[in-house]
mmCIF file of all heavy atoms in Angstrom:
data_model
loop_
_atom_site.group_PDB
_atom_site.id
_atom_site.type_symbol
_atom_site.label_atom_id
_atom_site.label_comp_id
_atom_site.label_asym_id
_atom_site.label_seq_id
_atom_site.Cartn_x
_atom_site.Cartn_y
_atom_site.Cartn_z
ATOM 1 N N GLU C 190 -13.174 3.196 3.520
ATOM 2 C CA GLU C 190 -14.119 2.765 2.455
ATOM 3 C C GLU C 190 -13.761 1.506 1.762
ATOM 4 O O GLU C 190 -14.475 0.696 1.495
ATOM 5 C CB GLU C 190 -14.243 3.840 1.296
ATOM 6 C CG GLU C 190 -15.056 5.082 1.883
ATOM 7 C CD GLU C 190 -14.840 6.225 0.978
ATOM 8 O OE1 GLU C 190 -14.446 5.983 -0.324
ATOM 9 O OE2 GLU C 190 -15.158 7.450 1.304
ATOM 10 N N ALA C 191 -12.435 1.210 1.718
ATOM 11 C CA ALA C 191 -11.871 0.028 1.107
ATOM 12 C C ALA C 191 -11.681 -1.014 2.044
ATOM 13 O O ALA C 191 -11.492 -2.176 1.670
ATOM 14 C CB ALA C 191 -10.563 0.355 0.345
ATOM 15 N N GLY C 192 -11.610 -0.724 3.435
ATOM 16 C CA GLY C 192 -11.472 -1.673 4.498
ATOM 17 C C GLY C 192 -10.110 -2.267 4.439
ATOM 18 O O GLY C 192 -9.872 -3.396 4.720
ATOM 19 N N THR C 193 -9.033 -1.522 3.996
ATOM 20 C CA THR C 193 -7.632 -1.904 4.037
ATOM 21 C C THR C 193 -6.745 -0.846 4.536
ATOM 22 O O THR C 193 -7.154 0.253 4.756
ATOM 23 C CB THR C 193 -7.270 -2.315 2.572
ATOM 24 O OG1 THR C 193 -6.000 -2.927 2.627
ATOM 25 C CG2 THR C 193 -7.265 -1.101 1.678
ATOM 26 N N GLY C 194 -5.452 -1.195 4.713
ATOM 27 C CA GLY C 194 -4.478 -0.160 5.294
ATOM 28 C C GLY C 194 -3.174 -0.790 5.528
ATOM 29 O O GLY C 194 -3.028 -2.025 5.105
ATOM 30 N N GLY C 195 -2.400 -0.080 6.236
ATOM 31 C CA GLY C 195 -0.985 -0.628 6.522
ATOM 32 C C GLY C 195 -0.187 0.355 7.240
ATOM 33 O O GLY C 195 -0.782 1.333 7.809
ATOM 34 N N MET C 196 1.141 0.165 7.291
ATOM 35 C CA MET C 196 2.071 0.956 7.945
ATOM 36 C C MET C 196 2.811 1.737 7.031
ATOM 37 O O MET C 196 3.455 1.373 6.109
ATOM 38 C CB MET C 196 3.055 0.083 8.821
ATOM 39 C CG MET C 196 3.865 0.906 9.690
ATOM 40 S SD MET C 196 5.061 -0.204 10.642
ATOM 41 C CE MET C 196 3.738 -1.112 11.762
ATOM 42 N N LEU C 197 2.799 3.117 7.258
ATOM 43 C CA LEU C 197 3.592 4.137 6.463
ATOM 44 C C LEU C 197 4.830 4.398 7.283
ATOM 45 O O LEU C 197 4.649 5.076 8.334
ATOM 46 C CB LEU C 197 2.774 5.325 6.100
ATOM 47 C CG LEU C 197 3.238 6.221 5.172
ATOM 48 C CD1 LEU C 197 3.529 5.710 3.739
ATOM 49 C CD2 LEU C 197 2.223 7.459 5.029
ATOM 50 N N MET C 198 5.993 4.177 6.743
ATOM 51 C CA MET C 198 7.278 4.347 7.481
ATOM 52 C C MET C 198 8.089 5.485 6.848
ATOM 53 O O MET C 198 8.361 5.341 5.567
ATOM 54 C CB MET C 198 7.929 3.159 7.764
ATOM 55 C CG MET C 198 7.200 2.088 8.454
ATOM 56 S SD MET C 198 7.801 0.430 8.261
ATOM 57 C CE MET C 198 7.071 -0.027 6.574
ATOM 58 N N PHE C 199 8.643 6.370 7.640
ATOM 59 C CA PHE C 199 9.529 7.356 7.181
ATOM 60 C C PHE C 199 10.800 7.153 7.633
ATOM 61 O O PHE C 199 11.094 6.797 8.843
ATOM 62 C CB PHE C 199 9.042 8.804 7.695
ATOM 63 C CG PHE C 199 7.597 9.205 7.165
ATOM 64 C CD1 PHE C 199 6.408 8.800 7.800
ATOM 65 C CD2 PHE C 199 7.446 9.814 6.026
ATOM 66 C CE1 PHE C 199 5.235 9.069 7.414
ATOM 67 C CE2 PHE C 199 6.236 10.258 5.615
ATOM 68 C CZ PHE C 199 5.089 9.803 6.181
ATOM 69 N N SER C 200 11.825 7.267 6.708
ATOM 70 C CA SER C 200 13.276 6.991 7.091
ATOM 71 C C SER C 200 13.722 8.363 7.916
ATOM 72 O O SER C 200 12.996 9.409 7.693
ATOM 73 C CB SER C 200 14.062 6.819 5.925
ATOM 74 O OG SER C 200 14.106 8.029 5.151
ATOM 75 N N PRO C 201 14.862 8.274 8.680
ATOM 76 C CA PRO C 201 15.334 9.375 9.116
ATOM 77 C C PRO C 201 15.713 10.489 8.091
ATOM 78 O O PRO C 201 16.102 10.173 7.050
ATOM 79 C CB PRO C 201 16.726 8.928 9.835
ATOM 80 C CG PRO C 201 16.422 7.431 10.029
ATOM 81 C CD PRO C 201 15.650 6.985 8.876
ATOM 82 N N GLY C 202 15.294 11.664 8.345
ATOM 83 C CA GLY C 202 15.467 12.786 7.399
ATOM 84 C C GLY C 202 14.325 12.851 6.432
ATOM 85 O O GLY C 202 14.258 13.633 5.554
ATOM 86 N N ARG C 203 13.449 11.880 6.563
ATOM 87 C CA ARG C 203 12.234 11.849 5.649
ATOM 88 C C ARG C 203 12.383 11.948 4.135
ATOM 89 O O ARG C 203 11.760 12.549 3.487
ATOM 90 C CB ARG C 203 11.099 12.778 6.044
ATOM 91 C CG ARG C 203 10.676 12.559 7.632
ATOM 92 C CD ARG C 203 9.664 13.526 8.018
ATOM 93 N NE ARG C 203 9.347 13.223 9.366
ATOM 94 C CZ ARG C 203 8.388 13.863 9.999
ATOM 95 N NH1 ARG C 203 7.713 14.966 9.347
ATOM 96 N NH2 ARG C 203 8.018 13.668 11.209
ATOM 97 N N THR C 204 13.536 11.262 3.648
ATOM 98 C CA THR C 204 13.811 11.340 2.333
ATOM 99 C C THR C 204 13.317 10.075 1.653
ATOM 100 O O THR C 204 13.144 10.131 0.449
ATOM 101 C CB THR C 204 15.352 11.383 2.060
ATOM 102 O OG1 THR C 204 16.047 10.287 2.746
ATOM 103 C CG2 THR C 204 15.977 12.689 2.496
ATOM 104 N N ASP C 205 13.019 9.032 2.425
ATOM 105 C CA ASP C 205 12.409 7.907 1.885
ATOM 106 C C ASP C 205 11.196 7.443 2.772
ATOM 107 O O ASP C 205 11.096 7.786 3.909
ATOM 108 C CB ASP C 205 13.416 6.673 1.936
ATOM 109 C CG ASP C 205 14.583 6.765 1.066
ATOM 110 O OD1 ASP C 205 14.352 7.097 -0.144
ATOM 111 O OD2 ASP C 205 15.709 6.673 1.607
ATOM 112 N N VAL C 206 10.184 6.674 2.042
ATOM 113 C CA VAL C 206 9.040 6.410 2.651
ATOM 114 C C VAL C 206 8.763 4.927 2.212
ATOM 115 O O VAL C 206 8.908 4.606 1.112
ATOM 116 C CB VAL C 206 7.740 7.132 2.319
ATOM 117 C CG1 VAL C 206 6.474 6.571 2.548
ATOM 118 C CG2 VAL C 206 7.817 8.618 3.037
ATOM 119 N N SER C 207 8.410 4.097 3.148
ATOM 120 C CA SER C 207 7.893 2.738 2.801
ATOM 121 C C SER C 207 6.562 2.397 3.307
ATOM 122 O O SER C 207 5.954 3.040 4.240
ATOM 123 C CB SER C 207 8.866 1.676 3.464
ATOM 124 O OG SER C 207 10.244 1.964 3.262
ATOM 125 N N PHE C 208 5.747 1.680 2.561
ATOM 126 C CA PHE C 208 4.420 1.314 2.817
ATOM 127 C C PHE C 208 4.274 -0.225 2.865
ATOM 128 O O PHE C 208 4.676 -0.851 1.972
ATOM 129 C CB PHE C 208 3.443 1.985 1.990
ATOM 130 C CG PHE C 208 1.992 1.501 2.356
ATOM 131 C CD1 PHE C 208 1.422 2.107 3.421
ATOM 132 C CD2 PHE C 208 1.403 0.549 1.642
ATOM 133 C CE1 PHE C 208 0.086 1.724 3.841
ATOM 134 C CE2 PHE C 208 0.100 0.071 1.961
ATOM 135 C CZ PHE C 208 -0.591 0.703 3.115
ATOM 136 N N THR C 209 3.718 -0.826 4.009
ATOM 137 C CA THR C 209 3.483 -2.149 4.154
ATOM 138 C C THR C 209 2.012 -2.382 4.238
ATOM 139 O O THR C 209 1.487 -2.075 5.409
ATOM 140 C CB THR C 209 4.362 -2.802 5.258
ATOM 141 O OG1 THR C 209 5.740 -2.498 5.086
ATOM 142 C CG2 THR C 209 4.172 -4.397 5.256
ATOM 143 N N PRO C 210 1.435 -3.148 3.359
ATOM 144 C CA PRO C 210 -0.028 -3.363 3.492
ATOM 145 C C PRO C 210 -0.198 -4.415 4.626
ATOM 146 O O PRO C 210 0.149 -5.575 4.219
ATOM 147 C CB PRO C 210 -0.565 -3.758 2.215
ATOM 148 C CG PRO C 210 0.674 -4.191 1.494
ATOM 149 C CD PRO C 210 1.822 -3.473 2.015
ATOM 150 N N THR C 211 -0.769 -4.072 5.770
ATOM 151 C CA THR C 211 -0.816 -5.010 6.770
ATOM 152 C C THR C 211 -2.266 -5.380 7.241
ATOM 153 O O THR C 211 -2.537 -6.299 8.018
ATOM 154 C CB THR C 211 -0.068 -4.595 8.041
ATOM 155 O OG1 THR C 211 -0.619 -3.235 8.298
ATOM 156 C CG2 THR C 211 1.424 -4.532 7.769
ATOM 157 N N MET C 212 -3.240 -4.582 6.780
ATOM 158 C CA MET C 212 -4.713 -4.636 7.180
ATOM 159 C C MET C 212 -5.439 -5.087 5.848
ATOM 160 O O MET C 212 -5.610 -4.437 5.018
ATOM 161 C CB MET C 212 -5.254 -3.486 7.687
ATOM 162 C CG MET C 212 -4.613 -2.963 9.060
ATOM 163 S SD MET C 212 -5.386 -1.487 9.619
ATOM 164 C CE MET C 212 -4.108 -0.364 9.198
ATOM 165 N N ASP C 213 -5.941 -6.398 5.884
ATOM 166 C CA ASP C 213 -6.751 -6.828 4.806
ATOM 167 C C ASP C 213 -6.262 -6.402 3.399
ATOM 168 O O ASP C 213 -6.942 -5.725 2.691
ATOM 169 C CB ASP C 213 -8.226 -6.380 4.977
ATOM 170 C CG ASP C 213 -8.799 -6.949 6.146
ATOM 171 O OD1 ASP C 213 -8.541 -8.225 6.509
ATOM 172 O OD2 ASP C 213 -9.601 -6.282 6.849
ATOM 173 N N ARG C 214 -4.953 -6.933 3.251
ATOM 174 C CA ARG C 214 -4.324 -6.674 1.908
ATOM 175 C C ARG C 214 -5.076 -6.866 0.746
ATOM 176 O O ARG C 214 -5.754 -7.767 0.597
ATOM 177 C CB ARG C 214 -3.048 -7.520 1.911
ATOM 178 C CG ARG C 214 -2.099 -7.268 0.686
ATOM 179 C CD ARG C 214 -0.874 -8.080 0.722
ATOM 180 N NE ARG C 214 -1.038 -9.501 0.999
ATOM 181 C CZ ARG C 214 -1.058 -10.276 -0.119
ATOM 182 N NH1 ARG C 214 -0.862 -9.918 -1.398
ATOM 183 N NH2 ARG C 214 -1.198 -11.576 0.154
ATOM 184 N N ARG C 215 -5.027 -5.805 -0.145
ATOM 185 C CA ARG C 215 -5.790 -5.933 -1.444
ATOM 186 C C ARG C 215 -4.949 -6.754 -2.392
ATOM 187 O O ARG C 215 -3.852 -6.589 -2.558
ATOM 188 C CB ARG C 215 -6.009 -4.680 -2.033
ATOM 189 C CG ARG C 215 -7.001 -3.754 -1.205
ATOM 190 C CD ARG C 215 -7.502 -2.484 -1.868
ATOM 191 N NE ARG C 215 -8.312 -2.791 -3.057
ATOM 192 C CZ ARG C 215 -9.567 -2.644 -3.231
ATOM 193 N NH1 ARG C 215 -10.316 -2.158 -2.292
ATOM 194 N NH2 ARG C 215 -10.115 -2.793 -4.548
ATOM 195 N N ARG C 216 -5.680 -7.727 -3.108
ATOM 196 C CA ARG C 216 -4.871 -8.682 -3.917
ATOM 197 C C ARG C 216 -5.466 -8.485 -5.221
ATOM 198 O O ARG C 216 -6.486 -7.940 -5.535
ATOM 199 C CB ARG C 216 -5.306 -10.096 -3.540
ATOM 200 C CG ARG C 216 -4.737 -10.362 -2.090
ATOM 201 C CD ARG C 216 -5.340 -11.669 -1.556
ATOM 202 N NE ARG C 216 -5.170 -11.841 -0.044
ATOM 203 C CZ ARG C 216 -4.127 -12.452 0.425
ATOM 204 N NH1 ARG C 216 -3.102 -12.747 -0.223
ATOM 205 N NH2 ARG C 216 -3.947 -12.472 1.797
ATOM 206 N N ILE C 217 -4.600 -8.874 -6.310
ATOM 207 C CA ILE C 217 -4.943 -8.949 -7.672
ATOM 208 C C ILE C 217 -6.005 -10.121 -7.936
ATOM 209 O O ILE C 217 -5.639 -11.258 -7.686
ATOM 210 C CB ILE C 217 -3.847 -8.997 -8.563
ATOM 211 C CG1 ILE C 217 -2.941 -7.833 -8.366
ATOM 212 C CG2 ILE C 217 -4.289 -9.098 -9.990
ATOM 213 C CD1 ILE C 217 -1.558 -7.926 -9.073
ATOM 214 N N PRO C 218 -7.294 -9.830 -8.405
ATOM 215 C CA PRO C 218 -8.282 -10.926 -8.509
ATOM 216 C C PRO C 218 -7.804 -12.039 -9.327
ATOM 217 O O PRO C 218 -8.068 -13.198 -9.007
ATOM 218 C CB PRO C 218 -9.512 -10.158 -9.108
ATOM 219 C CG PRO C 218 -9.211 -8.648 -8.713
ATOM 220 C CD PRO C 218 -7.834 -8.470 -8.640
ATOM 221 N N ALA C 219 -7.104 -11.795 -10.349
ATOM 222 C CA ALA C 219 -6.714 -12.905 -11.381
ATOM 223 C C ALA C 219 -5.443 -13.605 -10.759
ATOM 224 O O ALA C 219 -5.083 -14.675 -11.246
ATOM 225 C CB ALA C 219 -6.378 -12.407 -12.668
ATOM 226 N N ALA C 220 -4.653 -13.024 -9.778
ATOM 227 C CA ALA C 220 -3.473 -13.486 -9.201
ATOM 228 C C ALA C 220 -3.481 -13.252 -7.790
ATOM 229 O O ALA C 220 -2.654 -12.398 -7.304
ATOM 230 C CB ALA C 220 -2.299 -12.970 -9.954
ATOM 231 N N PRO C 221 -4.247 -13.834 -6.871
ATOM 232 C CA PRO C 221 -4.578 -13.539 -5.552
ATOM 233 C C PRO C 221 -3.306 -13.705 -4.623
ATOM 234 O O PRO C 221 -3.293 -13.027 -3.547
ATOM 235 C CB PRO C 221 -5.664 -14.365 -4.983
ATOM 236 C CG PRO C 221 -5.800 -15.414 -5.958
ATOM 237 C CD PRO C 221 -5.181 -14.986 -7.272
ATOM 238 N N GLU C 222 -2.257 -14.309 -5.083
ATOM 239 C CA GLU C 222 -0.966 -14.347 -4.350
ATOM 240 C C GLU C 222 -0.192 -13.105 -4.378
ATOM 241 O O GLU C 222 0.665 -12.854 -3.613
ATOM 242 C CB GLU C 222 -0.123 -15.565 -4.690
ATOM 243 C CG GLU C 222 0.257 -15.439 -6.189
ATOM 244 C CD GLU C 222 -0.638 -16.077 -7.174
ATOM 245 O OE1 GLU C 222 -1.751 -16.332 -7.035
ATOM 246 O OE2 GLU C 222 -0.278 -16.149 -8.422
ATOM 247 N N PHE C 223 -0.699 -12.026 -5.239
ATOM 248 C CA PHE C 223 0.149 -10.902 -5.381
ATOM 249 C C PHE C 223 -0.699 -9.780 -4.790
ATOM 250 O O PHE C 223 -1.991 -9.685 -5.015
ATOM 251 C CB PHE C 223 0.418 -10.603 -6.830
ATOM 252 C CG PHE C 223 1.446 -11.469 -7.410
ATOM 253 C CD1 PHE C 223 1.106 -12.549 -8.225
ATOM 254 C CD2 PHE C 223 2.809 -11.301 -7.222
ATOM 255 C CE1 PHE C 223 2.002 -13.481 -8.696
ATOM 256 C CE2 PHE C 223 3.724 -12.161 -7.650
ATOM 257 C CZ PHE C 223 3.367 -13.174 -8.499
ATOM 258 N N THR C 224 -0.138 -8.716 -4.337
ATOM 259 C CA THR C 224 -0.675 -7.451 -3.800
ATOM 260 C C THR C 224 -1.006 -6.570 -4.980
ATOM 261 O O THR C 224 -0.194 -6.515 -5.970
ATOM 262 C CB THR C 224 0.261 -6.840 -2.812
ATOM 263 O OG1 THR C 224 0.663 -7.683 -1.756
ATOM 264 C CG2 THR C 224 -0.351 -5.530 -2.274
ATOM 265 N N ASP C 225 -2.193 -5.903 -4.923
ATOM 266 C CA ASP C 225 -2.629 -4.935 -5.943
ATOM 267 C C ASP C 225 -1.753 -3.626 -5.683
ATOM 268 O O ASP C 225 -2.354 -2.620 -5.110
ATOM 269 C CB ASP C 225 -4.067 -4.746 -5.951
ATOM 270 C CG ASP C 225 -4.574 -3.954 -7.168
ATOM 271 O OD1 ASP C 225 -3.739 -3.395 -7.852
ATOM 272 O OD2 ASP C 225 -5.749 -4.010 -7.330
ATOM 273 N N LEU C 226 -0.499 -3.592 -6.056
ATOM 274 C CA LEU C 226 0.295 -2.527 -5.893
ATOM 275 C C LEU C 226 -0.193 -1.256 -6.450
ATOM 276 O O LEU C 226 -0.134 -0.127 -5.995
ATOM 277 C CB LEU C 226 1.764 -2.737 -6.250
ATOM 278 C CG LEU C 226 2.521 -3.750 -5.424
ATOM 279 C CD1 LEU C 226 3.926 -4.097 -6.145
ATOM 280 C CD2 LEU C 226 2.640 -3.441 -4.011
ATOM 281 N N ALA C 227 -0.782 -1.360 -7.611
ATOM 282 C CA ALA C 227 -1.407 -0.206 -8.335
ATOM 283 C C ALA C 227 -2.481 0.493 -7.587
ATOM 284 O O ALA C 227 -2.574 1.678 -7.462
ATOM 285 C CB ALA C 227 -1.850 -0.677 -9.775
ATOM 286 N N TRP C 228 -3.331 -0.264 -6.850
ATOM 287 C CA TRP C 228 -4.448 0.139 -6.117
ATOM 288 C C TRP C 228 -3.798 1.058 -4.860
ATOM 289 O O TRP C 228 -4.222 2.226 -4.675
ATOM 290 C CB TRP C 228 -5.229 -0.878 -5.475
ATOM 291 C CG TRP C 228 -6.449 -0.421 -4.778
ATOM 292 C CD1 TRP C 228 -7.675 -0.136 -5.363
ATOM 293 C CD2 TRP C 228 -6.457 0.088 -3.411
ATOM 294 N NE1 TRP C 228 -8.475 0.509 -4.408
ATOM 295 C CE2 TRP C 228 -7.795 0.727 -3.231
ATOM 296 C CE3 TRP C 228 -5.573 0.081 -2.373
ATOM 297 C CZ2 TRP C 228 -8.201 1.114 -1.980
ATOM 298 C CZ3 TRP C 228 -6.027 0.658 -1.099
ATOM 299 C CH2 TRP C 228 -7.302 1.028 -0.960
ATOM 300 N N TYR C 229 -2.802 0.528 -4.314
ATOM 301 C CA TYR C 229 -2.163 1.299 -3.144
ATOM 302 C C TYR C 229 -1.450 2.582 -3.671
ATOM 303 O O TYR C 229 -1.597 3.577 -2.963
ATOM 304 C CB TYR C 229 -1.283 0.340 -2.343
ATOM 305 C CG TYR C 229 -1.894 -0.647 -1.551
ATOM 306 C CD1 TYR C 229 -1.990 -1.860 -1.927
ATOM 307 C CD2 TYR C 229 -2.298 -0.340 -0.269
ATOM 308 C CE1 TYR C 229 -2.649 -2.902 -1.193
ATOM 309 C CE2 TYR C 229 -2.987 -1.273 0.488
ATOM 310 C CZ TYR C 229 -3.144 -2.598 0.012
ATOM 311 O OH TYR C 229 -3.745 -3.503 0.811
ATOM 312 N N LEU C 230 -0.823 2.449 -4.854
ATOM 313 C CA LEU C 230 -0.191 3.676 -5.344
ATOM 314 C C LEU C 230 -1.227 4.784 -5.695
ATOM 315 O O LEU C 230 -1.003 5.817 -5.429
ATOM 316 C CB LEU C 230 0.706 3.221 -6.595
ATOM 317 C CG LEU C 230 1.955 2.512 -6.190
ATOM 318 C CD1 LEU C 230 2.636 1.932 -7.563
ATOM 319 C CD2 LEU C 230 2.920 3.316 -5.450
ATOM 320 N N HIS C 231 -2.264 4.375 -6.332
ATOM 321 C CA HIS C 231 -3.344 5.311 -6.647
ATOM 322 C C HIS C 231 -3.818 5.895 -5.415
ATOM 323 O O HIS C 231 -4.168 7.193 -5.404
ATOM 324 C CB HIS C 231 -4.464 4.606 -7.377
ATOM 325 C CG HIS C 231 -5.569 5.413 -7.794
ATOM 326 N ND1 HIS C 231 -5.542 6.289 -8.862
ATOM 327 C CD2 HIS C 231 -6.812 5.524 -7.243
ATOM 328 C CE1 HIS C 231 -6.619 6.830 -8.902
ATOM 329 N NE2 HIS C 231 -7.411 6.389 -7.986
ATOM 330 N N ALA C 232 -3.959 5.252 -4.248
ATOM 331 C CA ALA C 232 -4.480 5.765 -2.985
ATOM 332 C C ALA C 232 -3.517 6.668 -2.266
ATOM 333 O O ALA C 232 -3.857 7.630 -1.709
ATOM 334 C CB ALA C 232 -4.985 4.633 -2.046
ATOM 335 N N LEU C 233 -2.238 6.311 -2.335
ATOM 336 C CA LEU C 233 -1.134 6.977 -1.602
ATOM 337 C C LEU C 233 -0.507 8.140 -2.295
ATOM 338 O O LEU C 233 -0.177 9.080 -1.534
ATOM 339 C CB LEU C 233 -0.120 5.959 -1.067
ATOM 340 C CG LEU C 233 -0.589 4.987 -0.019
ATOM 341 C CD1 LEU C 233 0.424 3.920 0.194
ATOM 342 C CD2 LEU C 233 -0.819 5.696 1.347
ATOM 343 N N VAL C 234 -0.186 7.915 -3.520
ATOM 344 C CA VAL C 234 0.736 8.884 -4.115
ATOM 345 C C VAL C 234 0.206 10.314 -4.202
ATOM 346 O O VAL C 234 0.810 11.327 -3.970
ATOM 347 C CB VAL C 234 1.069 8.413 -5.660
ATOM 348 C CG1 VAL C 234 1.760 9.598 -6.517
ATOM 349 C CG2 VAL C 234 2.051 7.161 -5.567
ATOM 350 N N PRO C 235 -1.007 10.595 -4.422
ATOM 351 C CA PRO C 235 -1.620 11.916 -4.428
ATOM 352 C C PRO C 235 -1.280 12.698 -3.185
ATOM 353 O O PRO C 235 -0.885 13.858 -3.188
ATOM 354 C CB PRO C 235 -3.129 11.721 -4.706
ATOM 355 C CG PRO C 235 -3.275 10.505 -5.557
ATOM 356 C CD PRO C 235 -2.152 9.681 -4.874
ATOM 357 N N ALA C 236 -1.467 12.118 -2.021
ATOM 358 C CA ALA C 236 -1.178 12.711 -0.724
ATOM 359 C C ALA C 236 0.355 12.866 -0.514
ATOM 360 O O ALA C 236 0.701 13.842 0.075
ATOM 361 C CB ALA C 236 -1.755 11.929 0.411
ATOM 362 N N LEU C 237 1.105 11.923 -0.951
ATOM 363 C CA LEU C 237 2.506 12.081 -0.890
ATOM 364 C C LEU C 237 3.080 13.089 -1.705
ATOM 365 O O LEU C 237 4.121 13.778 -1.488
ATOM 366 C CB LEU C 237 3.136 10.720 -1.007
ATOM 367 C CG LEU C 237 2.891 9.677 0.036
ATOM 368 C CD1 LEU C 237 3.472 8.360 -0.365
ATOM 369 C CD2 LEU C 237 3.326 10.088 1.358
#
């Protein structure tokens, strides 16, 4: 629906997870050089 995504990486033992937005990264409209981290957290945290 958002047309974005990325790579979700699990460390050995699955105690740490990393996410790298690699597909049409969502940017902050007022500061487009920055990623909209809040949007990604809102999308990912409930499932995690």
Side-chain angles (χ1 to χ4, degrees):
E190 294 172 10
T193 189
M196 186 179 296
L197 187 63
M198 297 163 280
F199 297 89
S200 68
R203 297 185 183 182
T204 57
D205 294 314
V206 165
S207 300
F208 177 78
T209 303
T211 56
M212 295 180 253
D213 295 323
R214 179 173 59 92
R215 293 197 54 120
R216 301 169 190 271
I217 298 172
E222 64 275 11
F223 291 97
T224 302
D225 189 348
L226 294 174
W228 186 92
Y229 287 99
L230 289 171
H231 180 77
L233 290 169
V234 167
L237 294 174

